[in-house]
Amino acid sequence: MSVVKQRILPNHPCNAEVEVDKISNLPAQIVDKILSHLSLRDAVRTSVLSSKWRYKWVTLPNLVFDNHSLLISSQDQTFIKNKIVNIVDHVLLLHSGPIHKFKLSHRDLQGVCDIDRWILFLSRGSVKEFILEIWKGHRYKLHSSIYLCQKLIHLELFNCLLKPPLSFSGFRSLKSLDLQHITMEQDAFEHLVSSCYLLERLTLMNFEGFSDLKIHAPNLLFFDIGGVFEDINFMDTFNLAIVSIGLYVNPGFDRNLTLGSAGNLVKFFAHLPRIQRLEVQSFFLKYLADGKVPGRLSTPCNELSFLSIRINFNHFDECLAALCLLRSSPNLQELELLARTEDQLDLRTMANVMEENYQNCMFNQLRHVKIAGISGVKQELNFINFLLANSPILERMTVKPASVDGAWEMLKELLRFRRASVQAEIVYLDP
């Protein structure tokens, strides 16, 4: 009698049958979080994960078309242009819901007319952040519908031509404006800045069409500018705390503005009572030194804690302007001096600066000093000696010369200087 072994069926179903599709059943907030950390290209590719993920990406509020999301391996500019246009068109066609951020920045992007269509499309929604960077070709004339985007909080443009319509009354929600390599008329620029009443951050680099900068922005906190301009005036900027200014052209030694008894230095700080961080780059100190330079400002910069200056130590008036800034900053904690050399020297003796202006000035809060680009000439060493002798709580001074020529002799000279702070150390960095 044969015994037939019966197969006993399991009392629980197969794992494969009850396996829960965890990816497809993630909470919506988790899915949104995952997609927000992916490039647009990778977010679109999640559509292959499952049927439930197929259109998850179409509700993304932030659309970024850059080199990471637009990977195009071709040298054919026509092909690249068509590919970029097709991708952006496809995404906007399938997109559902609000678009809060739109960024278009690709190394091969040129100012094509299709951008007009996209801006017009965005102007009908509630876009809050718009970034357009044209890396090739001529200035792209910004489509007028951009001025209808009244919910914009951040606007960033690169290589664009701006011509706001006469009816434009400003962006009522704009807090951050970044304009680089742009062309704009003088009146249009002034109106743009003054009519954005909530503006807190303004970046302006390499601009054309205007040279007289009038900054009227009562809520401005941050201002960064670099370019060629003739004059700059702040109006009602009493909250401005961080300023970085670079003048990219030498204003010359004979520059003489009609400013009455006050020079550029006094005028510049008249509306900056709360400045905390100041960077004076390129030739801007020379601009500040034009006109009458007082021994110190009538209203001190009590909140200024960081100061960076690009200075020509051989220029008499620049040294006076730098000394005025130092005397007018009683709570300065960090100082950075970057030497700038010029072929033409100021023939006036620097001895008077040492004798008359390096007296009765203490930097009671100064802790860190960085000095770079010096060559070890007497004027530079005198300035260093002045700082060491008048900084009672100085912790570190870092010195980096422009070249190795004469560096050893300069170092020996630095070590001889008297230090008001017993804990101050001089750190020498090789050029």
Side-chain angles (χ1 to χ4, degrees), residues 7 9-22 25:
R7 189 176 68 171
L9 296 176
N11 56 8
H12 55 82
C14 179
N15 289 338
E17 296 177 3
V18 298
E19 181 88 27
V20 177
D21 187 352
K22 296 180 180 179
N25 292 279

Side-chain angles (χ1 to χ4, degrees), residues 21-35:
D21 187 352
K22 296 180 180 179
I23 293 179
S24 296
N25 292 279
L26 287 173
Q29 62 270 25
I30 300 298
V31 173
D32 293 340
K33 190 70 173 178
I34 293 173
L35 291 175

Side-chain angles (χ1 to χ4, degrees), residues 130-158:
F130 181 81
I131 302 172
L132 177 61
E133 297 177 327
I134 308 295
W135 292 103
K136 287 188 175 182
H138 301 291
R139 296 270 201 268
Y140 161 71
K141 184 179 179 182
L142 197 63
H143 193 264
S144 60
S145 58
I146 190 66
Y147 304 105
L148 300 176
C149 301
Q150 286 300 313
K151 293 186 178 181
L152 273 179
I153 296 176
H154 176 76
L155 176 61
E156 188 171 335
L157 303 172
F158 186 95

Side-chain angles (χ1 to χ4, degrees), residues 32 52 61 76 102 111 157-158 175 199 210 233 238 247 274-275 301 304 306-307 333 339 381:
D32 293 340
K52 290 187 177 181
D76 187 335
F102 183 90
L157 303 172
F158 186 95
K175 292 186 176 182
L199 191 64
F210 56 97
N233 291 277
F238 299 113
L247 177 59
R274 303 189 64 182
I275 189 167
C301 303
L304 187 64
F306 176 89
L307 176 62
Q333 298 179 22
L381 296 178

Side-chain angles (χ1 to χ4, degrees), residues 189-297:
F189 169 74
E190 292 180 17
H191 178 66
L192 173 63
V193 174
S194 62
S195 61
C196 298
Y197 304 110
L198 300 182
L199 191 64
E200 296 178 355
R201 297 177 63 89
L202 176 59
T203 299
L204 192 62
M205 295 288 170
N206 298 303
F207 44 89
E208 297 177 351
F210 56 97
S211 59
D212 186 6
L213 304 176
K214 295 180 180 178
I215 310 300
H216 181 257
N219 290 297
L220 197 63
L221 302 174
F222 172 94
F223 181 55
D224 185 10
I225 178 176
V228 178
F229 55 91
E230 295 180 2
D231 200 13
I232 182 167
N233 291 277
F234 291 106
M235 293 172 285
D236 196 18
T237 53
F238 299 113
N239 293 310
L240 190 50
I242 301 175
V243 177
S244 177
I245 301 187
L247 177 59
Y248 294 165
V249 63
N250 191 334
F253 289 91
D254 299 323
R255 195 167 184 271
N256 185 20
L257 297 178
T258 305
L259 297 172
S261 59
N264 284 350
L265 192 64
V266 173
K267 181 189 67 170
F268 179 79
F269 284 95
H271 290 259
L272 300 177
R274 303 189 64 182
I275 189 167
Q276 300 173 13
R277 182 183 179 95
L278 174 63
E279 297 180 12
V280 178
Q281 302 178 3
S282 303
F283 293 98
F284 192 65
L285 183 63
K286 197 169 185 179
Y287 164 89
L288 291 177
D290 187 67
K292 183 178 179 180
V293 177
R296 66 180 71 231
L297 298 173

Side-chain angles (χ1 to χ4, degrees), residues 347-358:
L347 299 178
R348 285 174 289 180
T349 177
M350 297 298 294
N352 291 335
V353 177
M354 182 66 181
E355 295 174 2
E356 300 174 10
N357 297 283
Y358 285 2

